[in-house]
Amino acid sequence: MNTHRRFSKKKMIILSAIILGIAIVAFMSFLNAMDPFRHLRITIHNQSDYDLTNIQASLVQGDNSFNNNESGSTYIFDKDILSGANVKFAPKLKLSGEGAVSLAFTDSRGKTYTKTVCGYTEYLSGNSYVTVTNENVTVKEECM
């Protein structure tokens, strides 16, 4: 007499789904833990009544100014950000040493803004969140 019980197909499917669910949660936790170490990403939440144009991220290093023309020191985002839209992008910048990252843009009224989105960085990694309203521009930076 066979005393070993075999798993039914239903039990195997349930067990496989549980294992898959645990693996997905573990993988997502790993990605969230690694998030600050990925290339710098800037998220703009345009909560204003105006479209944003001429968006560019620039490096500020030592004696360099916002007008520096070194290769990799400025990244131009080639799309406008419409009123109410949220956009995330990773500026392609080349940093050697330490520096900061500024973001400049113009709203559809013609008003120009320049904000520091990463006050100090050595690695151009992490996240910066920029919220634009009719009254002001706020920045939450989580960069390294």
Side-chain angles (χ1 to χ4, degrees), residues 81-99:
I81 301 175
L82 302 178
S83 174
N86 297 322
V87 173
K88 181 188 289 188
F89 65 95
K92 294 169 183 60
L93 300 169
K94 295 179 184 172
L95 177 68
S96 60
E98 57 191 44

Side-chain angles (χ1 to χ4, degrees), residues 46-101:
N46 185 4
Q47 298 175 354
S48 75
D49 295 328
Y50 309 101
D51 297 344
L52 307 179
T53 61
N54 303 320
I55 302 156
Q56 66 179 22
S58 301
L59 284 176
V60 181
Q61 291 180 267
D63 293 333
N64 290 348
S65 69
F66 291 110
N67 297 323
N68 97 31
N69 292 323
E70 293 180 27
S71 176
S73 64
T74 301
Y75 173 79
I76 297 173
F77 186 71
D78 60 357
K79 296 180 182 172
D80 294 345
I81 301 175
L82 302 178
S83 174
N86 297 322
V87 173
K88 181 188 289 188
F89 65 95
K92 294 169 183 60
L93 300 169
K94 295 179 184 172
L95 177 68
S96 60
E98 57 191 44
V101 178

